Amino acid sequence: MAAHSNNFPWMSYYGNYKFFEQRMQEHSKVSSCEQLDAGLYRVRLTSGKILKVFICECYSFGTAEYIESCEKYGDLDVVVISSNWCGYTLELKRDCMVAKVGVFDVRGFMVALNKKEYWAYLSSYEVDRFEEYGWL
């Protein structure tokens, strides 16, 4: 369900991604960040790895929204939920981790970029829930 837009790709309410772009410019592990389409970026890491990143504001980003995003943009390396009032399901996070796809909020993505296996980064809340559900 979109936060402010009924249209795919659940773009930023303000129609820009300046906050994300600024965070990428400031990150020590990012060498470049290029917008490819509305909400779609190519993020080149200092290691040389290139990540295809989809950024959206979807109230509850789950499996259906992920599939629709991949149908629109192809395989993704990362999904970033760019709004404090939006989120993603833990089931999607778990399933994407198996496929080596990261699902994060902006803060989580900033931390994950410092890890070799960025897709496997879990916040402390997620660790607690994953343990509670027997997923760890």
Side-chain angles (χ1 to χ4, degrees):
M1 170 189 279
H4 291 288
S5 171
N6 293 325
N7 301 317
F8 182 85
W10 313 294
M11 296 190 294
S12 166
Y13 178 66
Y14 300 105
N16 67 55
Y17 300 91
K18 291 192 186 308
F19 180 78
F20 175 79
E21 292 168 0
Q22 289 169 340
R23 299 295 77 76
M24 292 301 98
Q25 289 173 1
E26 297 167 355
H27 202 289
S28 64
K29 300 291 184 182
V30 174
S31 62
S32 67
C33 179
E34 173 189 3
Q35 186 170 20
L36 302 173
D37 202 342
L40 187 67
Y41 283 82
R42 178 183 298 127
V43 175
R44 183 181 302 271
L45 304 181
T46 55
S47 67
K49 178 145 184 74
I50 297 173
L51 303 177
K52 189 174 177 185
V53 180
F54 175 59
I55 302 153
C56 73
E57 278 187 18
C58 184
Y59 184 71
S60 180
F61 195 86
T63 301
E65 291 78 15
Y66 176 73
I67 290 170
E68 186 175 358
S69 300
C70 290
E71 287 173 352
K72 171 79 173 171
Y73 291 133
D75 292 340
L76 300 168
D77 297 303
V78 177
V79 174
V80 175
I81 307 303
S82 67
S83 167
N84 289 334
W85 61 84
C86 299
Y88 49 85
T89 67
L90 291 176
E91 292 82 2
L92 177 68
K93 173 84 173 185
R94 177 199 60 201
D95 295 347
C96 282
M97 284 173 60
V98 171
K100 297 184 178 179
V101 174
V103 178
F104 310 102
D105 58 16
V106 174
R107 182 180 193 183
F109 185 49
M110 295 291 286
V111 174
L113 286 172
N114 292 300
K115 313 235 178 254
K116 184 176 180 184
E117 295 181 349
Y118 65 88
W119 63 86
Y121 170 73
L122 295 168
S123 69
S124 58
Y125 170 80
E126 291 166 337
V127 168
D128 290 346
R129 296 296 74 76
F130 274 46
E131 287 176 348
E132 178 183 334
Y133 301 150
W135 297 345
L136 286 181

